């Protein structure tokens, strides 16, 4: 078997705010269903879920690697949807 892609499913405590945040910081979104949105930036993809389990979410990690960390920090810090 040769894997060609792996996509993670990210839980969200507030689905609408989470969607708005990822769009605000530059990810493109594609509707999949009322419970799932596919986000894309370059060759990177992930699914945002309308699902929240505290135990799972507190153990979930996502690393987003960027070309310019200072730009990313400024963009995320200025987001009106950050928590």
């Amino acid at each position: 078997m040769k894997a060609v892609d792996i996509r993670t499913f990210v839980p969200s405590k507030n689905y609408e705010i989470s969607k708005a945040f990822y769009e605000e910081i530059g990810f493109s979104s594609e509707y999949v269903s009322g419970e799932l949105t596919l986000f894309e930036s370059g060759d990177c993809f992930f699914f945002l879920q309308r699902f929240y389990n505290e135990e799972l979410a507190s153990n979930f990690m996502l690393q987003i690697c960027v070309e310019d960390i200072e730009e990313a920090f400024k963009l995320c810090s200025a987001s009106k949807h950050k928590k």
Side-chain angles (χ1 to χ4, degrees):
M1 177 184 86
K2 179 181 177 185
V4 295
D5 193 13
I6 295 176
R7 297 184 184 178
T8 190
F9 286 73
V10 177
S12 61
K13 191 170 189 174
N14 186 314
Y15 187 66
E16 297 304 324
I17 289 176
S18 295
K19 282 184 1 182
F21 172 75
Y22 288 113
E23 290 170 347
E24 185 177 9
I25 65 170
F27 282 83
S28 300
S29 64
E30 181 179 326
Y31 175 86
V32 176
S33 73
E35 306 298 311
L36 204 59
T37 300
L38 178 64
F39 281 92
E40 176 265 329
S41 180
D43 292 332
C44 301
F45 298 86
F46 71 90
F47 289 100
L48 181 70
Q49 306 178 82
R50 185 186 305 268
F51 169 79
Y52 183 77
N53 173 283
E54 187 172 349
E55 187 175 343
L56 173 68
S58 66
N59 287 294
F60 182 83
M61 289 187 258
L62 177 67
Q63 179 183 29
I64 301 174
C65 301
V66 297
E67 293 178 341
D68 184 337
I69 192 65
E70 295 297 326
E71 176 188 3
F73 178 78
K74 287 177 188 173
L75 186 62
C76 292
S77 295
S79 171
K80 60 185 173 197
H81 297 100
K82 69 180 182 210
K83 184 173 181 183

